[in-house]
Amino acid sequence: MIDDGRPLFQQIAEQIEGAIIDGSLPEQAQVPSTNELAAFHRINPATAAKGLNQLVTEGILYKKRGIGMFVTAGAREALRSRRREAFARQYVEPLVTEAARLGIPHDELRSMLDTSRVENREVAR
């Protein structure tokens, strides 16, 4: 996970976000400490702390002095909402724009998406 060219602190933050979204880190749960993350990923503790502090700044985590950091109530839905918006900007808007360039009407595009979804379910089995 930690090696794709993006800043390590950002990858740490995204890893924690992913765990919150998939439910493996539920709301109010304590997150791994800076030292635990640093040891696990073999990175500088300051780098791990920067990733966690980014999530504190965003309101995803909160600190309990002397105890650790915890997942904020409502963090999962906030992250899901933010990622849905990013998904729309990154994937849906360009898809709709290209479909318009090609003269594909919305109903045909919707049919293409439905067909793709069915085919992907069959492959996953």
Side-chain angles (χ1 to χ4, degrees):
M1 186 237 124
I2 304 272
D3 66 359
D4 73 358
R6 290 175 300 116
L8 294 174
F9 78 90
Q10 192 174 43
Q11 294 179 58
I12 292 292
E14 289 172 0
Q15 178 187 36
I16 299 295
E17 287 178 352
I20 293 168
I21 288 170
D22 73 19
S24 59
L25 260 178
E27 295 176 0
Q28 305 302 329
Q30 186 170 8
V31 300
S33 72
T34 297
N35 290 332
E36 290 170 331
L37 289 168
F40 181 79
H41 294 292
R42 298 182 182 179
I43 60 173
N44 187 311
T47 302
K50 189 173 180 180
L52 291 174
N53 286 326
Q54 176 181 319
L55 295 174
V56 169
T57 300
E58 295 172 1
I60 302 301
L61 302 180
Y62 66 95
K63 295 179 185 182
K64 284 188 180 179
R65 187 174 170 92
I67 299 175
M69 294 196 196
F70 296 80
V71 179
T72 304
R76 183 174 191 220
E77 194 51 44
L79 287 169
R80 290 178 70 177
S81 176
R82 188 171 76 192
R83 288 206 179 169
R84 280 188 199 107
E85 291 170 13
F87 179 83
R89 279 191 313 276
Q90 187 174 0
Y91 299 104
V92 178
E93 289 173 12
L95 174 74
V96 171
T97 299
E98 184 63 15
R101 282 189 198 131
L102 297 173
I104 300 171
H106 284 285
D107 58 336
E108 186 177 341
L109 179 58
R110 186 175 294 112
S111 176
M112 288 176 172
L113 289 170
D114 288 342
T115 299
S116 178
R117 184 175 39 209
V118 169
E119 289 172 357
N120 284 334
R121 276 193 216 135
E122 291 172 1
V123 169
R125 290 181 191 168

